[in-house]
Amino acid sequence: MSSTLLEVTRASHEEVERLERLIVKDLQNEPANNKDRLFQSHRVRNMIENIITTTEKLVEIYEDKDNARRDEIAALGGQTAMGTNVFSAFYDRLKEIREYHRRHPAARVVDANEDYEAMLKEEPVIEFTGEEAFGKYLDMHELYNQYNNLKFEKPIEYSTYLDIFSQPNIVPRKLKFSRQYREYMENLLEYLVYFFQRTEPLQDLDRIFSKVTTEFEEQWENDAVQGWEKTSQENGHLSADHTVIDLDFYSTVEELKEVGPEKLKEALAALGLKSGGTVQQRAERLFLTKDTPLEKLDKKHFVKGSHGSEPNGGAATSKEVDNSKEIALMEAKINKLCDLLDETIVRTKENVVKKQALTYDEMEAEREEEETQADTESDDDEQQIYNPLKLPMGWDGKPIPYWLYKLHGLGQEFKCEICGNYSYWGRRAFERHFKEWRHQHGMRCLGIPNTKNFNEITSIKEAQELWKGIQERQGVNKWRPDLEEEYEDKEGNIYNRKTYTDLQRQGLI
């Protein structure tokens, strides 16, 4: 019965209206946790996509390029080639309806609301890795390995990489023209886009990137893109940094070949060397200059009349300029995504640093605790607790009394630079943190033993000066096993040998 074009149009309008009401109803429910928030966002996103698809079909029907809608409206009005006959059209339609119900005597009206209401309970499938913890953290391990293989940086730790991956402008411009760097930037952008789409499905990423591209084009025209300023451009020639390849980052001719024939040709021309031949020959000729000064090279390698000439920078090809612009635009998009994911990046860094300081037993216990907490989270809507003073929550899940808040000085903030400028609220928490994993990890990074001598010291400079003074008084090379040899108990607490032995003797460990 819904085979006619007008019936399809009516049903499509009804579907759009139902989905709109369903979106409003879903968004009126406050999610209890992050998992429910993601489910809700993806449900709404799927419904919006259904609305867009249905609307596109309606637009196509109303455009009526094949005149099918016009002919059907005319047929309903009884207009035929023989003239207008309203009664004939009416009885033909009535006959069609009766015939349908005769063939389907058990047909009943189906309540579409039941199917649509079931969509509110749907849990969309969202793919996250174990490291991402359902969108709580970033999983950058593959990109981290790719970054360390770029050969323009010494290998760095994963926690350090999380600090610098969002700052592509710190990479020297002359190192950005290799194929490996471009592939790394493409993979980084692809992952950040994919992660953002999974965690923020209601954000219009196309509109965000459109704005970024518009701003970038304006900055590029005004030579104001950070890290890509043409500071040495003269008469349409690029600086030597743009064409000369830094050979310190290549250990073999095979690695140098990966730069590409065009880049090799420009680098050779910038040095006054012959730029012809195969990629292998160009790479071998350029690799000679790594350990041999230009003036000591055989004259056969130089272009006639250019022996001993200095690099002139070479003219910039349109292909190379386009490549520079594409890389710069990718960097601009990555910067924007990192701004949008700033909280997730910080949370990921804190989680990585915390894991580095935990023992295996502690990590297993924390994992079990997280699983237990996830299983016991209530799915029921809870009323928001009235807490205008933003007091800490007590053991019963309610704000603690204000007098207790003042008694313990929980409104007083203490910052520790050694802990990465982490804030501790209240004197008790501040004093206790000197024996906790965060401070211990910070002291280990500084190469300073976390002893009582450094209690109350939160400045890196003060800790280093005090440690230097202790070494000068006691002797740098003097080894004192009873005080400097570290022992760790089952709970991860660190003691020197003397303290650990005493506690063990007393049966406290």
Side-chain angles (χ1 to χ4, degrees), residues 4 6 71-98:
T4 64
L6 293 179
D71 294 343
E72 188 170 323
I73 293 175
L76 285 176
Q79 297 179 10
T80 62
M82 303 299 295
T84 303
N85 190 339
V86 179
F87 293 104
S88 176
F90 172 77
Y91 286 113
D92 288 342
R93 183 62 175 164
L94 179 61
K95 181 181 178 182
E96 181 183 348
I97 294 173
R98 287 176 174 174

Side-chain angles (χ1 to χ4, degrees), residues 28-157:
Q28 285 176 343
N29 299 325
E30 189 68 25
N33 48 57
N34 181 62
K35 187 175 183 180
D36 289 345
R37 183 190 69 82
L38 283 178
F39 283 156
Q40 182 190 74
S41 299
H42 278 273
R43 279 197 303 267
V44 172
R45 178 67 181 179
N46 292 338
M47 287 187 281
I48 290 175
E49 290 178 351
N50 288 339
I51 289 176
I52 293 173
T53 303
T54 305
T55 304
E56 289 174 350
K57 292 180 181 178
L58 283 171
V59 170
E60 184 178 348
I61 291 173
Y62 283 120
E63 287 177 350
D64 199 20
K65 294 181 180 180
D66 57 356
N67 296 325
R69 182 171 180 272
R70 186 189 64 181
D71 294 343
E72 188 170 323
I73 293 175
L76 285 176
Q79 297 179 10
T80 62
M82 303 299 295
T84 303
N85 190 339
V86 179
F87 293 104
S88 176
F90 172 77
Y91 286 113
D92 288 342
R93 183 62 175 164
L94 179 61
K95 181 181 178 182
E96 181 183 348
I97 294 173
R98 287 176 174 174
E99 183 64 22
Y100 174 84
H101 285 286
R102 186 186 63 79
R103 292 197 306 268
H104 305 282
R108 62 182 183 86
V109 178
V110 178
D111 187 3
N113 288 325
E114 295 179 2
D115 295 334
Y116 282 94
E117 289 293 333
M119 295 175 65
L120 292 175
K121 301 178 182 179
E122 180 186 358
E123 294 186 355
V125 178
I126 313 171
E127 295 182 355
F128 285 107
T129 64
E131 188 73 19
E132 289 173 335
F134 216 81
K136 192 175 181 181
Y137 309 116
L138 291 165
D139 184 3
M140 307 286 290
H141 288 87
E142 290 186 10
L143 293 163
Y144 161 69
N145 292 331
Q146 191 175 356
Y147 181 86
N148 271 341
N149 290 331
L150 288 178
K151 301 187 186 327
F152 62 73
E153 278 281 3
K154 294 181 179 179
I156 58 175
E157 293 185 354

Side-chain angles (χ1 to χ4, degrees), residues 329-439:
L329 179 57
M330 282 193 287
E331 291 181 352
K333 292 180 178 180
I334 289 172
N335 286 332
K336 183 61 177 179
L337 285 170
C338 289
D339 290 340
L340 296 172
L341 296 170
D342 182 60
E343 293 184 3
T344 306
I345 295 173
V346 173
R347 196 161 52 236
T348 304
K349 174 69 183 301
E350 292 178 350
N351 182 58
V352 169
V353 173
K354 179 180 177 181
K355 282 185 176 181
Q356 288 175 342
L358 292 177
T359 64
Y360 176 78
D361 292 338
E362 288 173 335
M363 286 191 288
E364 285 295 312
E366 184 175 298
R367 183 182 62 80
E368 292 177 1
E369 182 180 351
E370 289 179 354
E371 290 179 354
T372 303
Q373 183 179 1
D375 292 338
T376 57
E377 281 182 343
S378 174
D379 294 333
D380 299 328
D381 294 334
E382 297 179 0
Q383 292 184 352
Q384 188 173 3
I385 297 175
Y386 181 69
N387 187 15
L389 298 178
K390 297 182 179 179
L391 300 174
M393 308 304 287
W395 61 269
D396 57 353
K398 297 181 181 179
I400 64 173
Y402 184 72
W403 63 268
L404 187 62
Y405 172 83
K406 296 293 291 183
L407 177 65
H408 290 285
L410 298 180
Q412 189 176 7
E413 182 182 12
F414 297 88
K415 280 193 175 183
C416 180
E417 187 180 2
I418 297 174
C419 297
N421 289 323
Y422 193 83
S423 295
Y424 297 92
W425 296 90
R427 183 70 191 176
R428 182 180 179 186
F430 173 69
E431 292 175 351
R432 190 171 52 195
H433 99 277
F434 289 100
K435 295 183 179 180
E436 294 176 348
W437 66 269
R438 193 188 303 275
H439 193 83

